[in-house]
C-alpha cells in the first residue's frame, strides 16, 4: 500500500474510532420483592428514611439503612435488569446514544459546549460507564475525614458483589508496558488501590461481559425494611418551621409517578428520621433549589419560595476533562474499555480503550463504536462550541459508511487529577425533569492545562516506545498523530494541517468529558462533614455532589463506598452506638 493510501485509511480509521462510549448490569433481574412501579404507590405513606435517587450512592445507602429502619427509595428511572444495552459490555454506548424520553441516560450540554450525560436508571451512572473500578487514595480518605477502617470495610462490602479482575488483551498489555517503559513506575500489578505508578484496575464487568451495578447492592437489603419505587420523580422537599426562630425541618417529599399522578411521602415521627438526597451532581443541587434552598436571588427569579438563602448550592461544579489521541493500528486489536491506568507524579492519569472492528451491536443494526462515538457526543475534533446535533449527524453518517477494515486501532487518553477549575449550576426551569444549566470552565486554572499538556506528552512517549511498536505504523510520527486527532475528517471544518500544533491548543480544542462531574453540594460549603445540609434539620446529601475533587482515577467505587459507609454511620447514630 502506498504511503498516501495508508494515510487515507488511517484518516478513515480515526474518523470511525473517534466516536463512542457505553455500558451494562447483571442481566437477569434479581427477585426484588420490594421494587415496584410508582403508579402502584399509595397517595400518602410514611417512612423512617426517604432516599431520593436510586443511583450509585442511593442503592447501597438504602440497602444498609433497611436493616434497622423502614426506608423508601425513589428513583426517577426504570430498572437496568433485562436491558442488554445496559447489561452487556458489547453494547457499551448504546444507552448513552439513546435520546428517547425513556432512555436510562439523559443528555445535557454544558455551557462550555461539551456534551455529557446524567443517569436516570436504578443503579445510576454505574449502569452507563466504562466500568473501571478503583478506590480513592489514602490521602483523599484522610482529607475527607473518613474513618479508614470503616472505609475499607465498606469498599470490601461493595467489591464482593460488583468488582472483578479484568483479563488483559494485547492492546492493554502494550499500554501497561509502554507506561513502565517511559517511567510511570513502579508496576503495582492488579489492585483496587490508588498507588502512584502503573496498575491494572478492577472492572464491574464479569468474565462473561455482564455489567454489575450499584443496583446489585440491593441484594444486601432487608426486603421487609425497603420499598423501591421506579419512575418516581421527586418534585420538591417539604419543609416546616416548628418555632418562630427554628431552622427549617424537612419532613416529606412530593413525587409524581410515570402517569403524572402526585404522591406524598412523609417521615414518621422521630427526631432521628431523615430525608437523604442522593440524586447526583446535577440532581441534588437542582432539587435543593427547587425546594427553596439556594441563592435567594436565583430562587426568586424562578418564583420559588425561599426556605433558606444558601448561596453555595450549585457552586464548585467540576468535570474532569479528558483528551485522547487516536493510534491507528496495522494489526487488529481487541475490544477493550478502561483496564490499565498510569498514575503520574504530575497529576494526570493515562488510560486506554481499543476496538477491533466495532461490530454491529447485538440489539441494533447500527454499529457500536465503543468509547469514542459521535452518537454520544464524543467529538473531540470538533471545538466544543460547534458540537451541534448537525455535526453529530454528519459524523454518524460518515462513520456508518466506512469500511469495517478502517476501524482498527485504539485511543490512549489522559484525564487530569482534581480538577482545580470550577464552575456553577443554575436552574433553567422549575421542572425537575429538565436539565439545569451547568458550566464547568474547563482549563480555567493554568495548572489544569499544564497537567493536560504533560499528559499528552506522556502519551507521545508511550506511542513511540518499543512496547507499543507493533501497534503503530512506522511512517506515522507523533506530531502526525496529534495533527490527525486535531483535524480528522469527521466534520466540515477547514483543515489546517501542520506538524506543530501547540499542545495547549490541542487540549482546549479536543476536550471531552469522561463523565466524572461532581460538586454543587460540597462538604463545609453546603453540607457538614456528616453530610447534613447546613442550616436545615432532618436533611442530608450523600453522593458525588459533595466532593471537592474526584476520588481516585474513577469515582464510582468511592461513591458506592460512601453510600454504604454513611448508611453504617447513620445506623450507629440511630442506635446510639
Amino acid at each position: 500500500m502506498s504511503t498516501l493510501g495508508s494515510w487515507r485509511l488511517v484518516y478513515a480509521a480515526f474518523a470511525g474510532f473517534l466516536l463512542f462510549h457505553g455500558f451494562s448490569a447483571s442481566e437477569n433481574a434479581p427477585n426484588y420483592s420490594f421494587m415496584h412501579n410508582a403508579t402502584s404507590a399509595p397517595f400518602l405513606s410514611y417512612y423512617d428514611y426517604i432516599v431520593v435517587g436510586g443511583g450509585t450512592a442511593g442503592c447501597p445507602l438504602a440497602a444498609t439503612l433497611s436493616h434497622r429502619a423502614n426506608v423508601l427509595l425513589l428513583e426517577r428511572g426504570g430498572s437496568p435488569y433485562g436491558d442488554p444495552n445496559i447489561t452487556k459490555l458489547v453494547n457499551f454506548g448504546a444507552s448513552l446514544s439513546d435520546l428517547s424520553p425513556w432512555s436510562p441516560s439523559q443528555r445535557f450540554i454544558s455551557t462550555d459546549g461539551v456534551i455529557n450525560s446524567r443517569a436516570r436508571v436504578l443503579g445510576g451512572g454505574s449502569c452507563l460507564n466504562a466500568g473501571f473500578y478503583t478506590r480513592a487514595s489514602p490521602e483523599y480518605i484522610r482529607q475527607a475525614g473518613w474513618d479508614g477502617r470503616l472505609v475499607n470495610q465498606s469498599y470490601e462490602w461493595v467489591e464482593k458483589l460488583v468488582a472483578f479482575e479484568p483479563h488483559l488483551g494485547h492492546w492493554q498489555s502494550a499500554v501497561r508496558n509502554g507506561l513502565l517503559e517511559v517511567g510511570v513506575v513502579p508496576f503495582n500489578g492488579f489492585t483496587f488501590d490508588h498507588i502512584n505508578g502503573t496498575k491494572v484496575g478492577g472492572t464491574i464487568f464479569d468474565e462473561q461481559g455482564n455489567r454489575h451495578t450499584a443496583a446489585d447492592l440491593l441484594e444486601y437489603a432487608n426486603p421487609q425494611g425497603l420499598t423501591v419505587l421506579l419512575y418516581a420523580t421527586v418534585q420538591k422537599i417539604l419543609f416546616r418551621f416548628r418555632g418562630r426562630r427554628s431552622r427549617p425541618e424537612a419532613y416529606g417529599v412530593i413525587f409524581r409517578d410515570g402517569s403524572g399522578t402526585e404522591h406524598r411521602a412523609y417521615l414518621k415521627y422521630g427526631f432521628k428520621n431523615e430525608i437523604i438526597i442522593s440524586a447526583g451532581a446535577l440532581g441534588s443541587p437542582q432539587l435543593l433549589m427547587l425546594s427553596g434552598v439556594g441563592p435567594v436571588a436565583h430562587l426568586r427569579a424562578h418564583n420559588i419560595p425561599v426556605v433558606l438563602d444558601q448561596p453555595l448550592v450549585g457552586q464548585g461544579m467540576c468535570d474532569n476533562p479528558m483528551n485522547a489521541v487516536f493510534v491507528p493500528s496495522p494489526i487488529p486489536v481487541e475490544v477493550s474499555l478502561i483496564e490499565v491506568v498510569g498514575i503520574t507524579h504530575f497529576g494526570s492519569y493515562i488510560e486506554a480503550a481499543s476496538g477491533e472492528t466495532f461490530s454491529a451491536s447485538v440489539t441494533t443494526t447500527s454499529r457500536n463504536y465503543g468509547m469514542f462515538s459521535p452518537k454520544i457526543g464524543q467529538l473531540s475534533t470538533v471545538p466544543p462550541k460547534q458540537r451541534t446535533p448537525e455535526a453529530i449527524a454528519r459524523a454518524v453518517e460518515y462513520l456508518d459508511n466506512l469500511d469495517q477494515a478502517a476501524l482498527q486501532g485504539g485511543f490512549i487518553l489522559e484525564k487530569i487529577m482534581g480538577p482545580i477549575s470550577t464552575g456553577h449550576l443554575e436552574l433553567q426551569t422549575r421542572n425537575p425533569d429538565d436539565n439545569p444549566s451547568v458550566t464547568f470552565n474547563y482549563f480555567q486554572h493554568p495548572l489544569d492545562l499544564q497537567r493536560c499538556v504533560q499528559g499528552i506528552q506522556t502519551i507521545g512517549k508511550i506511542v513511540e516506545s518499543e512496547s507499543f511498536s507493533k501497534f503503530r505504523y512506522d511512517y506515522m510520527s507523533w506530531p502526525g498523530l496529534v495533527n490527525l486527532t486535531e483535524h480528522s475528517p469527521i466534520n466540515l471544518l477547514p483543515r489546517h494541517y501542520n506538524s506543530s500544533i501547540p499542545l495547549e491548543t490541542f487540549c482546549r480544542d479536543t476536550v471531552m468529558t469522561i463523565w466524572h462531574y461532581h460538586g454543587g453540594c460540597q462538604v463545609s460549603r453546603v453540607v457538614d462533614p456528616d453530610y447534613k445540609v447546613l442550616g436545615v434539620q432532618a436533611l442530608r446529601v450523600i453522593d458525588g455532589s459533595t466532593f471537592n475533587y474526584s476520588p481516585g482515577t474513577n469515582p464510582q467505587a468511592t461513591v458506592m463506598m460512601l453510600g454504604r459507609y454513611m448508611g453504617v454511620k447513620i445506623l450507629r447514630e440511630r442506635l446510639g452506638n
Side-chain angles (χ1 to χ4, degrees):
M1 180 182 293
S2 69
T3 300
L4 178 59
S6 298
W7 268 100
R8 284 174 176 167
L9 179 60
V10 165
Y11 275 115
F14 176 68
F17 204 109
L18 190 63
L19 312 174
F20 202 41
H21 191 52
F23 304 35
S24 303
S26 44
E27 185 171 9
N28 297 322
N31 185 24
Y32 287 163
S33 59
F34 46 76
M35 189 168 68
H36 312 280
N37 193 302
T39 54
S40 67
F43 297 121
L44 188 63
S45 55
Y46 295 85
Y47 297 88
D48 299 323
Y49 294 99
I50 299 171
V51 179
V52 180
T56 315
C59 286
L61 173 63
T64 302
L65 294 175
S66 70
H67 286 270
R68 292 292 185 271
N70 188 236
V71 182
L72 173 64
L73 178 62
L74 297 169
E75 168 52 47
R76 70 186 184 122
S79 168
Y81 301 108
D83 181 353
N85 283 345
I86 294 175
T87 61
K88 293 295 185 181
L89 184 149
V90 294
N91 292 339
F92 176 85
S95 293
L96 287 169
S97 62
D98 180 1
L99 301 183
S100 67
W102 49 86
S103 170
S105 68
Q106 182 177 359
R107 179 168 291 183
F108 71 94
I109 304 175
S110 71
T111 63
D112 316 274
V114 173
I115 299 170
N116 212 317
S117 293
R118 58 190 296 210
R120 51 180 172 199
V121 60
L122 189 70
S126 66
C127 297
L128 302 174
N129 64 26
F132 197 59
Y133 183 97
T134 180
R135 296 182 178 190
S137 68
E139 182 179 356
Y140 188 100
I141 292 167
R142 285 193 297 271
Q143 290 181 350
W146 294 333
D147 178 336
R149 182 176 181 182
L150 181 56
V151 164
N152 286 335
Q153 292 171 348
S154 299
Y155 274 126
E156 291 167 0
W157 181 89
V158 170
E159 289 154 9
K160 287 177 182 177
L161 288 185
V162 306
F164 306 88
E165 179 179 356
H167 174 72
L168 294 192
H170 296 298
W171 172 274
Q172 292 285 339
S173 296
V175 172
R176 175 198 61 197
N177 296 340
L179 281 162
L180 296 174
E181 186 177 332
V182 304
V184 185
V185 293
F187 178 55
N188 296 305
F190 165 69
T191 179
F192 295 141
D193 293 335
H194 185 96
I195 312 169
N196 283 350
T198 295
K199 73 166 189 172
V200 178
T203 177
I204 61 174
F205 291 104
D206 63 25
E207 291 184 358
Q208 289 72 46
N210 296 318
R211 180 190 296 276
H212 296 261
T213 76
D216 291 11
L217 300 175
L218 293 172
E219 292 181 27
Y220 284 125
N222 169 23
Q224 285 71 46
L226 179 62
T227 298
V228 177
L229 296 180
L230 303 178
Y231 303 108
T233 303
V234 175
Q235 307 297 299
K236 67 176 181 177
I237 310 295
L238 299 172
F239 294 95
R240 62 187 170 198
F241 293 84
R242 290 188 178 273
R244 206 171 188 184
R245 297 185 178 180
S246 67
R247 295 188 298 168
E249 177 185 6
Y251 72 97
V253 302
I254 298 173
F255 66 93
R256 294 187 185 276
D257 63 29
S259 69
T261 301
E262 184 177 291
H263 304 254
R264 292 186 178 227
Y266 295 112
L267 294 178
K268 292 179 179 179
Y269 178 77
F271 73 95
K272 291 187 177 179
N273 295 342
E274 294 177 314
I275 294 170
I276 305 172
I277 305 175
S278 296
L282 266 64
S284 291
Q286 179 186 25
L287 183 57
L288 281 179
M289 287 193 270
L290 290 174
S291 305
V293 178
V296 62
H298 184 57
L299 299 182
R300 287 174 177 166
H302 287 272
N303 295 316
I304 297 173
V306 178
V307 173
L308 178 69
D309 179 16
Q310 173 42 290
L312 297 179
V313 172
Q315 299 299 307
M317 296 298 300
C318 298
D319 186 25
N320 295 85
M322 174 177 70
N323 296 82
V325 176
F326 176 63
V327 185
S329 172
I331 62 174
V333 298
E334 75 273 9
V335 175
S336 70
L337 298 176
I338 309 301
E339 296 174 355
V340 170
V341 60
I343 302 173
T344 69
H345 67 277
F346 54 80
S348 179
Y349 306 135
I350 312 298
E351 303 169 346
S354 62
E356 195 169 18
T357 58
F358 298 93
S359 58
S361 166
V362 171
T363 57
T364 66
T365 57
S366 63
R367 294 175 182 173
N368 181 352
Y369 297 101
M371 191 168 171
F372 297 87
S373 169
K375 293 184 179 181
I376 60 169
Q378 293 294 66
L379 293 165
S380 74
T381 62
V382 181
K385 293 296 185 180
Q386 299 180 51
R387 293 178 194 178
T388 64
E390 292 76 18
I392 292 173
R394 288 196 299 269
V396 170
E397 181 181 6
Y398 183 94
L399 212 58
D400 284 341
N401 290 327
L402 282 177
D403 190 304
Q404 285 279 354
L407 303 176
Q408 186 168 284
F411 277 84
I412 306 180
L413 63 92
E414 70 83 36
K415 57 161 278 194
I416 62 169
M417 181 177 69
I420 302 173
S421 304
T422 65
H424 60 277
L425 175 149
E426 295 179 336
L427 297 176
Q428 296 193 90
T429 74
R430 294 175 59 176
N431 184 347
D433 289 321
D434 293 341
N435 288 316
S437 171
V438 190
T439 301
F440 292 119
N441 288 325
Y442 296 105
F443 302 126
Q444 182 185 60
H445 196 285
L447 182 55
D448 288 342
L449 187 60
Q450 177 185 329
R451 286 172 170 171
C452 177
V453 168
Q454 290 177 282
I456 298 299
Q457 289 171 337
T458 302
I459 292 174
K461 295 176 183 177
I462 295 170
V463 171
E464 294 178 335
S465 69
E466 177 63 28
S467 300
F468 217 76
S469 58
K470 68 178 180 179
F471 291 113
R472 67 171 185 265
Y473 287 94
D474 291 338
Y475 57 82
M476 294 190 66
S477 67
W478 167 245
L481 287 176
V482 172
N483 191 71
L484 173 63
T485 304
E486 174 83 6
H487 299 290
S488 74
I490 64 170
N491 61 74
L492 303 180
L493 296 175
R495 307 287 190 264
H496 300 291
Y497 297 111
N498 62 73
S499 60
S500 58
I501 298 170
L503 290 183
E504 290 82 0
T505 300
F506 178 87
C507 287
R508 293 187 185 278
D509 284 355
T510 68
V511 65
M512 297 177 282
T513 183
I514 198 165
W515 302 281
H516 295 170
Y517 52 90
H518 52 282
C521 297
Q522 292 167 313
V523 173
S524 300
R525 305 184 80 194
V526 175
V527 300
D528 70 13
D530 291 318
Y531 301 92
K532 297 178 180 179
V533 177
L534 297 168
V536 176
Q537 298 184 63
L539 182 65
R540 300 194 204 219
V541 177
I542 299 175
D543 58 26
S545 71
T546 64
F547 293 162
N548 293 299
Y549 298 97
S550 183
T553 59
N554 183 300
Q556 75 166 340
T558 302
V559 176
M560 286 190 272
M561 179 282 294
L562 182 63
R564 169 63 176 178
Y565 175 92
M566 284 307 301
V568 172
K569 289 200 69 175
I570 290 169
L571 287 183
R572 287 177 178 175
E573 182 181 311
R574 183 180 188 87
L575 300 174
N577 295 337

